[in-house]
Amino acid sequence: MDFGTIPFIIWFLPAFLCIYFMVRPYYGKKTVLIFGSIFFYGISYIKWLPVLFILTLLAIWGTFCVRKWGKPQLVLWVSVFVGILILNKMSKHLMPGISFFVFTALSLLFDCYRKQVYGKGILDMMSYLLFFPKLLSGPIARVSDMETRTIQILGEKRDTVLDNLERGIVCFIIGLGYKVLLANQLGGLWYQVQTIGFASVSTQLAWLGIIGYSLQLYFDFQGYSLMAIGIAKMLGYILPENFDSPYLSKSISEFYRRWHMTLGSWFRDYIYIPLGGSQKGLKRTLFNLAVVWVLTALWHGMHWNFVLWGMFLLFWIMLEKIGLRRVLERIPLLGHIYVLILIPFSWVFFSLNNMPDIVQCFLRLFGQEGVQVAAEDYIKYGSMYAPFLLAGIFFAFPYGERWLRANYKKGFCVLLLLVIFWLSVYEAAMGAQNPFMYFRF
Amino acid sequence: MRKSKYPIIIPLVLSLLCVEAYGQVVRIQDTSAKEETHKPGIMYACQKIEDLRHGKKEDVPAWQFTVHTESANIKEEPERQFQTVDQSYFDDALFIGDSRMVGMHDYSGLDNATYYAEVGMTIFSLFDKPVAKLADGSMGTIEQALQQKQFGKIYLMVGINELGTGTQERFLQSYKAAVERIQSLQPDALIFIQGIMYVTEERSQGDAYINNPNIQVRNKNISTLANNRNIFYIDVNEVYSDGKGNLSKEYTFDNAHLKGACYGEWVTFLLEHGIVK
């Protein structure tokens, strides 16, 4: 039962909201939140529920130890959680949401050590760790996100509650549309390319394929993030945004400041800056970047294709640090073209986990001769997927989403949102199961 | 008129309630769904709309029982043996079928043959959809096309899409009717019934309908329609099978369709299974 499924939209969410708004603020709501999150996780992954429970208790125990005994305990508990993550990543059965959970727990431990977490009780920490909108796939919120920006006492102020509910619904509908109407449809193109096999697709179709995949990945994850942000908002919490129109970036470094922003800022705050960031000379900066990118790659999975993906990006980011960025900034058009070519290339490593396919894909992208290529395949599939590709490109710019989020009270916008919602529900009801792509991390 | 302060919540909740109520009405009316009370009404409402859009999935086509042409001249035809032929053999060949035949059209390199193929085609929808190019360039049904042009060989490959629809008996019955109908329209053509291509072990084990045991039963049934005089049964699974009755994983990405580069073996198989009158 993920956010894009009918039982979640029609049953779980409305029922949960009703109960949540009926109980009294603070302890009542926190308790409902914790039980709701456990139910949400348990209904899909019942066999992992005990593990989730143990990990939550361990994290809370860890914070008490870190508060009391400081650094040695921090080292111990960080090692424990990193160890759990590595073991889980290496095993055949990956616990859903483990990467996100562990990073949330680590963030809690670090923030406790830095004395940035005050006066948090067990209930607060449990609801922070288990908060179901972000539990499976982020955004990786900090404890401070959940603390300072929380609209703490809901219930009494009816206007605030309803306003949040309304804004949350808007966010949720946009995210749902991204996932169901764009990502799922665009996914068909990349899948088709792989079904034909890279050896037999025309160069044009290979390009269409990676464009389709690049857009699919964005709308899948941004769709999930917006739904998470939307649900949190309905409950009165503000989760951090995860994307800022990344495909409009002019360098790879900028792209990763605008893509999966909560993971990027996690690595920046807890790894890059403590290592010295860019303040200790060029050599040290490059080393720090290498550390961050090796870890980023491994966070995605203990598979060499993620390492390759990370190294590919690291190479360009290092070049940018050395001087390329100055050139790209001077000629913005060049920067855009550079990003729009290299990022889709990097997704080839991200998507394919066997070397022959990766090689074959690049050979076809660069026009090397294929086997039994149907010369006009790109016309066939291009026309099939054109509406989704065009809509995808349009929504890769921020204007559409920004307009919807800002003008949701206008009649036309309301109508559009309702159409998006019902089309998505219809597609979700009739379509095949399409799990979120980032659920495997 | 005073503007609503919360314009989304009200229409959203109202529309949700309306659609849910409509879905419940559909559920109550639809006797087959009475047992399933665990689905939201909205699912039934969406299904109803889907049915209205595409017509309810029927497993018995209207044409099926209207044609009962006895196979003509069977007794006068001698039994024939397969032999190896060259590519010009396909000049007067027609391939009819589902996505596997669409793949054949796109990637086999057999450009001299004719194809009436469509993704999702079933034995039940064989004569219903406009999948064939007619003499005037427009698209018509296979029946219309077969009335216009005569072929020497007709290859059939359907059966994977309807594994979850109807019974084995009904499938065989429909297949038999289709073959008879083609024969009545193309009395001189050799008809090649191709066994349904397997899916991979992974797909087979994870799918209640589209699995190889089901395919094997249906293949066995349709193979009985062959008379080795003018109707033949050939099974390309001989080429692509992993030896355990599954499509070998090396040939496919999606566990059901051949990769573009793998159609060559099929062509070779067909060349080795030619019938010369």
Side-chain angles (χ1 to χ4, degrees):
Chain A
M1 187 178 68
D2 65 50
F3 300 165
T5 58
I6 300 296
F8 180 84
I9 300 169
I10 307 300
W11 280 347
F12 180 83
L13 190 57
F16 179 81
L17 286 173
C18 285
I19 299 170
Y20 184 78
F21 287 123
M22 275 191 302
V23 297
R24 287 181 64 77
Y26 214 69
Y27 292 111
K29 287 198 194 302
K30 290 263 174 189
T31 311
V32 169
L33 202 53
I34 291 166
F35 280 103
S37 300
I38 290 170
F39 180 79
F40 170 79
Y41 194 87
I43 203 159
S44 301
Y45 311 109
I46 187 77
K47 69 168 186 169
W48 287 107
L49 199 56
V51 185
L52 182 72
F53 225 75
I54 293 167
L55 288 177
T56 308
L57 295 179
L58 278 179
I60 293 168
W61 186 18
T63 57
F64 285 117
C65 296
V66 170
R67 268 183 205 168
K68 204 162 181 190
W69 291 295
K71 201 165 191 172
Q73 284 292 322
L74 178 72
V75 173
L76 172 74
W77 284 99
V78 168
S79 314
V80 167
F81 274 96
V82 170
I84 290 169
L85 184 60
I86 292 173
L87 280 178
N88 204 287
K89 290 257 176 193
M90 283 168 72
S91 90
K92 266 187 180 171
H93 309 285
L94 189 71
M95 176 182 167
I98 182 74
S99 311
F100 291 94
F101 185 89
V102 166
F103 267 43
T104 308
L106 288 176
S107 153
L108 183 63
L109 291 169
F110 285 129
D111 288 354
C112 268
Y113 174 69
R114 294 171 178 183
K115 308 255 186 300
Q116 286 170 349
V117 182
Y118 298 105
K120 288 275 152 194
I122 290 179
L123 217 54
D124 293 314
M125 282 195 275
M126 272 186 98
S127 65
Y128 161 67
L129 287 165
L130 294 171
F131 192 54
F132 78 89
K134 65 161 186 62
L135 180 59
L136 286 172
S137 199
I140 306 168
R142 311 289 173 78
V143 78
S144 54
D145 290 319
M146 305 273 290
E147 180 184 36
T148 53
R149 297 190 197 160
T150 305
I151 291 109
Q152 283 141 346
I153 313 290
L154 290 168
E156 277 75 35
K157 292 186 176 172
R158 199 181 63 135
D159 275 2
T160 320
V161 173
L162 285 173
D163 195 53
N164 274 324
L165 195 61
E166 186 102 348
R167 283 170 191 275
I169 290 171
V170 172
C171 244
F172 184 82
I173 292 177
I174 298 172
L176 183 67
Y178 277 177
K179 164 66 184 162
V180 180
L181 301 180
L182 284 177
N184 288 358
Q185 314 299 325
L186 284 164
L189 180 55
W190 183 238
Y191 193 79
Q192 186 62 48
V193 166
Q194 293 183 83
T195 300
I196 295 167
F198 291 102
S200 305
V201 294
S202 66
T203 293
Q204 293 92 327
L205 185 58
W207 278 96
L208 277 181
I210 61 165
I211 294 169
Y213 181 73
S214 303
L215 291 170
Q216 179 200 3
L217 199 58
Y218 171 62
F219 288 111
D220 192 278
F221 198 15
Q222 166 66 333
Y224 180 89
S225 301
L226 279 180
M227 280 192 260
I229 291 167
I231 298 166
K233 187 133 198 118
M234 292 180 211
L235 305 175
Y237 292 89
I238 297 179
L239 286 180
E241 295 276 342
N242 230 356
F243 293 87
D244 177 20
S245 307
Y247 286 115
L248 302 187
S249 307
K250 293 184 284 295
S251 67
I252 306 291
S253 330
E254 187 190 348
F255 183 89
Y256 276 95
R257 283 196 298 274
R258 299 168 72 164
W259 174 281
H260 202 175
M261 285 149 63
T262 53
L263 182 69
S265 63
W266 194 100
F267 276 113
R268 184 196 63 213
D269 293 348
Y270 297 123
I271 308 285
Y272 185 67
I273 291 176
L275 284 175
S278 56
Q279 306 300 313
K280 292 189 175 174
L282 184 64
K283 268 188 192 164
R284 183 58 190 258
T285 305
L286 296 181
F287 172 77
N288 294 346
L289 280 171
V291 171
V292 165
W293 275 95
V294 168
L295 293 176
T296 303
L298 293 176
W299 180 87
H300 284 87
M302 298 278 171
H303 202 278
W304 60 266
N305 71 308
F306 289 121
V307 176
L308 222 55
W309 165 78
M311 294 309 101
F312 178 82
L313 292 167
L314 176 65
F315 171 77
W316 292 102
I317 289 169
M318 282 182 161
L319 275 190
E320 285 169 12
K321 268 278 183 258
I322 292 167
L324 183 63
R325 198 171 60 191
R326 277 195 293 276
V327 181
L328 296 170
E329 275 169 1
R330 219 171 292 150
I331 317 167
L333 181 66
L334 184 70
H336 287 301
I337 295 170
Y338 158 88
V339 166
L340 291 176
I341 290 176
L342 287 180
I343 290 294
F345 281 177
S346 74
W347 295 139
V348 173
F349 299 112
F350 193 82
S351 167
L352 305 176
N353 60 10
N354 70 86
M355 206 53 179
D357 273 355
I358 292 175
V359 172
Q360 197 63 251
C361 182
F362 278 110
L363 287 176
R364 300 304 299 135
L365 285 168
F366 288 105
Q368 291 298 306
E369 207 174 324
V371 186
Q372 293 291 5
V373 175
E376 294 192 339
D377 58 2
Y378 67 98
I379 297 176
K380 179 176 171 180
Y381 295 107
S383 53
M384 265 166 77
Y385 287 96
F388 305 109
L389 288 167
L390 291 174
I393 291 167
F394 175 76
F395 281 102
F397 288 90
Y399 314 114
E401 185 187 317
R402 212 181 280 162
W403 182 80
L404 279 171
R405 285 171 82 167
N407 294 295
Y408 71 92
K409 293 200 174 184
K410 290 183 180 157
F412 180 70
C413 211
V414 171
L415 194 68
L416 200 61
L417 285 165
L418 285 173
V419 169
I420 294 172
F421 176 77
W422 282 109
L423 278 179
S424 305
V425 167
Y426 179 72
E427 274 299 320
M430 291 297 102
Q433 282 288 311
N434 284 292
F436 287 95
M437 296 162 93
Y438 264 70
F439 272 16
R440 63 196 169 111
F441 301 130
Chain B
M1 203 178 79
R2 204 168 68 88
K3 256 191 169 178
S4 165
K5 260 175 103 179
Y6 306 108
I8 295 268
I9 298 173
I10 296 166
L12 189 68
V13 172
L14 280 179
S15 60
L16 271 171
L17 290 175
C18 289
V19 178
E20 179 68 23
Y22 173 67
Q24 292 299 343
V25 172
V26 171
R27 186 180 67 82
I28 292 162
Q29 283 175 351
D30 184 0
T31 47
S32 66
K34 267 184 181 158
E35 300 305 312
E36 300 174 55
T37 48
H38 57 280
K39 279 201 289 188
I42 283 168
M43 299 287 271
Y44 296 104
C46 290
Q47 186 60 53
K48 183 77 180 175
I49 295 164
E50 181 81 357
D51 290 345
L52 290 174
R53 276 180 67 205
H54 299 294
K56 198 165 183 176
K57 253 193 182 175
E58 298 287 354
D59 61 357
V60 186
W63 59 266
Q64 189 179 312
F65 300 110
T66 59
V67 174
H68 280 290
T69 315
E70 283 305 316
S71 310
N73 306 326
I74 288 176
K75 290 198 175 82
E76 291 161 29
E77 300 263 0
E79 279 213 17
R80 299 178 211 271
Q81 300 292 321
F82 292 121
Q83 53 185 289
T84 302
V85 290
D86 64 35
Q87 199 172 325
S88 65
Y89 173 83
F90 295 107
D91 287 345
D92 62 349
L94 167 66
F95 290 91
I96 295 175
D98 51 31
S99 49
R100 274 92 179 263
M101 283 288 106
V102 175
M104 188 74 149
H105 167 265
D106 289 349
Y107 300 104
S108 69
L110 285 182
D111 298 332
N112 50 337
T114 306
Y115 297 84
Y116 300 157
E118 192 187 49
V119 174
M121 186 183 271
T122 69
I123 198 69
F124 309 124
S125 69
L126 203 66
F127 294 105
D128 295 343
K129 290 184 180 171
V131 296
K133 204 169 190 179
L134 302 178
D136 64 358
S138 66
M139 298 303 281
T141 62
I142 290 181
E143 173 151 5
Q144 288 170 317
L146 292 182
Q147 281 164 350
Q148 284 185 355
K149 190 181 171 188
Q150 292 294 308
F151 292 93
K153 303 106 194 170
I154 298 177
Y155 290 85
L156 286 166
M157 164 67 91
V158 280
I160 183 110
N161 297 304
E162 55 274 50
L163 281 171
T165 316
T167 59
Q168 288 159 13
E169 292 74 29
R170 187 149 285 172
F171 175 74
L172 177 62
Q173 212 175 6
S174 304
Y175 211 115
K176 185 167 185 273
V179 170
E180 286 173 354
R181 189 161 191 182
I182 292 169
Q183 249 186 343
S184 72
L185 293 163
Q186 302 271 319
D188 297 327
L190 300 170
I191 297 176
F192 293 84
I193 297 168
Q194 297 190 84
I196 307 162
M197 196 198 294
Y198 296 151
V199 292
T200 60
E201 189 175 7
E202 183 189 335
R203 174 72 188 264
S204 184
Q205 286 179 348
D207 199 311
Y209 301 107
I210 301 180
N211 57 50
N212 294 327
N214 278 350
I215 291 177
Q216 279 149 7
V217 171
R218 294 197 176 197
N219 280 352
K220 202 175 167 200
N221 288 344
I222 57 174
S223 72
T224 61
L225 300 174
N227 58 24
N228 293 332
R229 292 183 166 89
N230 56 358
I231 305 172
F232 304 88
Y233 176 78
I234 51 176
D235 192 350
V236 76
N237 287 313
E238 291 170 26
V239 177
Y240 296 117
S241 168
D242 63 357
K244 292 182 281 181
N246 309 297
L247 172 60
S248 198
K249 182 64 194 167
E250 66 191 287
Y251 296 113
T252 175
F253 168 75
D254 71 350
N255 299 310
H257 297 93
L258 295 179
K259 288 182 182 174
C262 302
Y263 280 86
E265 287 96 320
W266 195 340
V267 173
T268 309
F269 174 80
L270 293 180
L271 289 170
E272 288 167 359
H273 289 78
I275 294 289
V276 180
K277 274 190 179 177

